[in-house]
């Protein structure tokens, strides 16, 4: 039994479900076929642009942006069940709706902190789905889960900033339409306040000194649909001073503001991934026989299915509560819950997908089912946007504070 959401959400949900059935699921096989014929693995299969055009035509565009000037003006609670549906086809659906990371977070940053000129140059084409973007914070040489470690230098030189550093796992950087990076680095490395040393700056991808060096893999996958995860070297990259985002020293605070919505969006989509895995698990269980009876008749398989259903219902409730809190008391007031879903969702969804993999036998780890790729994607979210341990540490500290 599904929740009943408000009328607008229900209407959008019905429209999105129809779009998924009529266009997105059928496009999954088409995209793979088209990809095999492309000259470069980073080229985008033509069906993706067709999906974008159709989603736009159906009014399923920029649903993630709560600000009506830029997007659909939905609350987090309204967006949650829609993002969940897109998670069922994570390679195609979020992109089709212009709701894919890292562009979503970058658009939010530009909408919130960008100057009029920056909005015109970068936000408008991003909102139109004409270009893509990347967010460059993590560095191979330092423990980047602690943002105060970041070593990339952003040095003021006259009316320009000069950027030098090495980043990796920069999602989307290999996408042929990726035109701009938001780069985090230190403008004041000796500053007394370690949270005011960092700044963010916009770096057009074609700036001299920017080298997208190689594609990093994720459990062997290159994540072509997302534009990969690149190692990027910035060697004396010079951009005009007006490319600074917000104020000097404001990088840490902007990163925090960016990550609240980003984390819940990932969790919403993860629930959709879990639902897809449960569906595949059930279909396989009733259609395959071993040792004289369908797999569905095995007690252990029934347990997997039951446990998965219980877990996904629990997760969804927690995600919806978090979305509601973000809408009503703000991201800061929802801090504990945002961390709770960030810890609970990728871990539990990975376990659910793993059961579906097991039930599919060799097929589960193959390219013929989406399960192996879904598992890898869910597993990486225990690292991306901050590892589990960092969130647990911070949540526990807040909990303990009440008793100290
Ligand atoms: C698929 C994928 C996509 C990504 N996309 C991007 C992107 O677009 N842009 C970007 O900038 N980055 C991106 N990242 C990087 C990601 O955000 C970082 O990997 C993450 O923040 C952790 O940083 P690190 O890898 O340097 O790990 P480290 O900081 O070296 O941490 C390693 C491990 O140390 C342990 N640890 C760290 N701190 C603590 C603590 N306080 N208590 C206990 N244990 C601790 C944890 O187990 C942690 O996993 C992506 C990563 C992946 C895998």
């Amino acid at each position: 039994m599904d929740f009943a959401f408000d009328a607008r959400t229900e209407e959008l949900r019905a429209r999105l479900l129809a779009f998924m059935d009529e266009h997105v699921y059928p496009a999954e096989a088409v995209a793979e076929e088209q990809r095999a014929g492309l000259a470069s693995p980073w080229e985008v299969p033509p069906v993706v642009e067709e999906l974008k055009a159709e989603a736009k035509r159906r009014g399923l565009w920029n649903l993630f942006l709560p600000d009506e000037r830029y997007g659909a003006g939905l609350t987090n609670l309204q967006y949650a069940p829609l993002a969940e549906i897109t998670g069922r086809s994570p390679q195609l659906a979020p992109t089709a709706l212009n709701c894919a990371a890292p562009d979503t977070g970058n658009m939010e940053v530009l909408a919130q902190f960008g100057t009029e000129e920056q909005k015109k140059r970068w936000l408008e084409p991003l909102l139109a789905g004409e270009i893509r973007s990347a967010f460059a914070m993590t560095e191979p040489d330092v423990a980047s889960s602690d943002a105060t470690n970041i070593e990339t230098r952003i040095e003021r030189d006259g009316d320009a900033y000069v950027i030098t550093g090495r980043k990796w796992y920069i999602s989307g950087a290999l996408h042929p339409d990726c035109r701009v990076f938001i780069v985090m680095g230190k403008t004041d490395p000796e500053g007394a306040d370690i949270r005011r040393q960092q700044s963010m700056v916009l770096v057009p991808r074609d700036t001299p000194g920017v080298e997208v060096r190689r594609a990093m893999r994720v459990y062997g996958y290159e994540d072509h649909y997302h534009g990969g995860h690149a190692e990027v070297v910035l060697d004396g990259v010079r951009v005009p001073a007006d490319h600074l985002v917000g104020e000097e020293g404001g990088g840490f605070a902007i990163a925090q503001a960016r990550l609240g919505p980003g984390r819940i969006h990932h969790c919403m989509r993860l629930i959709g991934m879990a639902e897809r895995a449960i569906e595949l698990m059930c279909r396989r269980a009733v259609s395959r026989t071993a040792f004289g009876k369908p797999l569905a008749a095995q007690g252990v398989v029934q347990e997997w299915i039951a446990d998965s259903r219980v877990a996904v219902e629990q997760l969804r409730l927690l995600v919806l509560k978090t979305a509601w809190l973000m809408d009503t008391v703000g991201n800061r007031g929802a801090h504990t819950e945002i961390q709770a879903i960030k810890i609970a969702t990728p871990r539990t969804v990975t376990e659910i997908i793993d059961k579906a993999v097991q039930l599919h036998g060799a097929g589960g780890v193959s390219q013929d089912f989406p399960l192996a790729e879904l598992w890898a994607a869910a597993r990486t979210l225990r690292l991306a946007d901050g590892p589990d341990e960092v969130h647990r540490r911070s949540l526990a500290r807040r909990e303990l504070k009440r008793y100290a």
Side-chain angles (χ1 to χ4, degrees), residues 135-138 142-145 169-171 218 229 380 383-387 389-390 393:
F135 181 75
M137 179 162 144
T138 304
V142 293
S144 302
S145 52
Y169 280 88
I170 306 312
S171 301
V218 173
H229 311 282
T380 60
L383 291 165
D385 289 354
E389 293 73 19
V390 174
R393 168 177 175 262

Side-chain angles (χ1 to χ4, degrees), residues 31-46 173-177 205 212 215 222-225 227-228:
E32 281 305 295
E33 228 170 81
Q34 290 179 344
R35 177 175 296 294
L38 296 174
S40 144
W42 302 107
E43 260 182 61
V44 181
L174 291 130
H175 195 289
D177 297 335
R205 188 190 162 167
V212 177
E222 286 191 321
D223 282 353
H224 298 112
Y225 288 97

Side-chain angles (χ1 to χ4, degrees), residues 137-150 168 387:
M137 179 162 144
T138 304
E139 300 177 3
D141 298 327
V142 293
S144 302
S145 52
D146 176 356
T148 64
N149 283 339
I150 295 305
W168 77 346

Side-chain angles (χ1 to χ4, degrees), residues 17-142:
L17 286 169
F19 176 65
M20 296 290 291
D21 286 338
E22 291 161 25
H23 293 274
V24 177
Y25 300 129
E28 288 177 351
V30 177
E32 281 305 295
E33 228 170 81
Q34 290 179 344
R35 177 175 296 294
L38 296 174
S40 144
W42 302 107
E43 260 182 61
V44 181
V47 73
V48 174
E49 283 304 318
E50 290 165 24
L51 287 175
K52 283 165 69 178
E54 183 60 24
K56 223 179 208 178
R57 202 182 64 73
R58 293 181 179 222
L60 298 167
W61 193 253
N62 290 336
L63 299 176
F64 71 99
L65 265 171
D67 188 332
E68 265 174 5
R69 282 175 302 166
Y70 306 111
L74 299 175
T75 63
N76 285 296
L77 191 57
Q78 289 175 312
Y79 179 54
L82 306 172
E84 176 185 324
I85 294 168
T86 66
R88 296 174 60 94
S89 184
Q91 313 287 22
L92 294 180
T95 301
L97 274 60
N98 213 35
C99 291
D103 296 315
T104 45
N106 293 342
M107 285 189 258
E108 275 160 2
V109 166
L110 287 166
Q112 211 177 328
F113 303 97
T115 62
E116 285 314 308
E117 174 54 29
Q118 290 169 351
K119 285 181 190 169
K120 195 159 178 47
R121 184 164 176 202
W122 304 116
L123 179 59
E124 284 180 16
L126 279 168
L127 287 170
E130 292 162 4
I131 63 166
R132 304 292 304 261
S133 62
F135 181 75
M137 179 162 144
T138 304
E139 300 177 3
D141 298 327
V142 293

Side-chain angles (χ1 to χ4, degrees), residues 230-246:
E231 179 180 338
V232 179
V233 176
L234 303 148
D235 184 8
V237 174
R238 204 176 176 86
V239 295
D242 64 6
H243 282 36
L244 185 74
V245 183

